[in-house]
Amino acid sequence: QVQLQQSGAELVKPGSSVKISCKASGYTFTSYDMHWIKQQPGNGLEWIGWIYPGNGNTKYNQKFNGKATLTADKSSSTAYMQLSSLTSEDSAVYFCARSGYYSSYIVPFAYWGQGTLVTVSS
Amino acid sequence: EIVLTQSPTTMAASPGEKVTITCRASSSVSYMYWYQQKSGASPKPWIYETSKLASGVPDRFSGSGSGTSYSFTISSMETEDAATYYCHQWSSTPPTFGSGTKLEIK
């Protein structure tokens, strides 16, 4: 079965960077896009971007250009997201998610990681 | 980007009561998706392609709509349905979500 296992919570200082991971299992990692989604309390869900591990292609929500960098390591089936120049506005839970098929219909975010809480505080 | 406006923001329903949530898009979308999220958990796909139920979703749930107006209905509220529900579109990039409807049991 598809599983997305994310790294643990992070407490980081303003102005620093953080790199969180999402280890995939139960499917061919290089055959599916991996998305990253931000959730702030009371602010709903925001799509950050996606990476296609098969060739490393990425696409970002313009809002997160320069903030997020997505990479993937095929050898370990792990996707990464680095967030830079952190401010309090970056404090949130970050999810990785993958598309899937239900009865041959594509569902954009069919599988989700458990989320990684990033807290930016001095 | 397409803005999705969900209403109501919060609501409470008694067991057996009918629940309807609406989602309006700032531009026409081909399909709407709905996700359920319980406190401390990841969102789960609940309805896809506007009206199709994800695996394991009870048939008291339904979705409908087209263009810029979509709705999500529970025919008879049950305790386990208390959660936050989000609508979602990916007819255009970036994909966007509604702000969520927190549904509580009365």
Side-chain angles (χ1 to χ4, degrees):
Chain A
Q1 72 282 23
V2 174
Q3 289 192 328
L4 303 176
Q5 183 65 38
Q6 296 187 230
S7 49
E10 301 270 4
L11 173 60
V12 293
K13 295 193 183 308
S16 68
S17 298
V18 68
K19 191 172 186 178
I20 61 180
S21 66
C22 172
K23 183 170 176 59
S25 61
Y27 70 98
T28 302
F29 179 64
T30 51
S31 296
Y32 291 86
D33 45 310
M34 187 70 78
H35 301 261
W36 291 88
I37 293 161
K38 177 181 181 181
Q39 184 170 40
Q40 288 178 301
N43 274 18
L45 299 158
E46 287 186 283
W47 178 77
I48 296 169
W50 61 260
I51 183 167
Y52 187 71
N55 57 17
N57 282 356
T58 56
K59 186 169 181 67
Y60 295 91
N61 184 335
Q62 198 168 0
K63 178 180 178 181
F64 293 91
N65 272 335
K67 170 62 66 177
T69 303
L70 306 183
T71 57
D73 178 2
K74 290 189 276 191
S75 67
S76 63
S77 297
T78 302
Y80 298 92
M81 178 175 67
Q82 179 162 319
L83 300 168
S84 60
S85 303
L86 292 165
T87 72
S88 59
E89 286 300 304
D90 299 314
S91 293
V93 175
Y94 293 89
F95 294 98
C96 58
R98 204 212 82 178
S99 61
Y101 288 89
Y102 289 9
S103 304
S104 79
Y105 295 95
I106 190 164
V107 176
F109 308 120
Y111 304 97
W112 294 68
Q114 81 275 24
T116 296
L117 174 63
V118 173
T119 304
V120 182
S121 175
S122 54
Chain B
E1 71 177 43
I2 293 179
V3 176
L4 300 180
T5 303
Q6 259 184 266
S7 61
T9 303
T10 62
M11 68 177 298
S14 301
E17 187 176 345
K18 182 179 180 180
V19 170
T20 299
I21 298 169
T22 63
C23 182
R24 297 196 186 279
S26 59
S27 299
S28 181
V29 300
S30 300
Y31 298 108
M32 194 62 72
Y33 299 82
W34 295 86
Y35 293 82
Q36 181 199 67
Q37 185 177 33
K38 294 196 173 181
S39 182
S42 308
K44 293 181 181 178
W46 213 245
I47 292 177
Y48 62 101
E49 297 227 341
T50 301
S51 60
K52 299 175 176 63
L53 301 184
S55 177
V57 174
D59 62 7
R60 63 181 177 273
F61 290 87
S62 64
S64 64
S66 64
T68 61
S69 183
Y70 292 82
S71 63
F72 170 100
T73 300
I74 307 173
S75 61
S76 178
M77 176 78 179
E78 296 199 7
T79 305
E80 67 187 32
D81 301 336
T84 300
Y85 294 90
Y86 294 93
C87 57
H88 160 67
Q89 69 79 27
W90 204 342
S91 292
S92 73
T93 301
T96 52
F97 295 85
S99 55
T101 295
K102 185 174 183 179
L103 174 60
E104 299 173 326
I105 192 81
K106 234 186 245 180

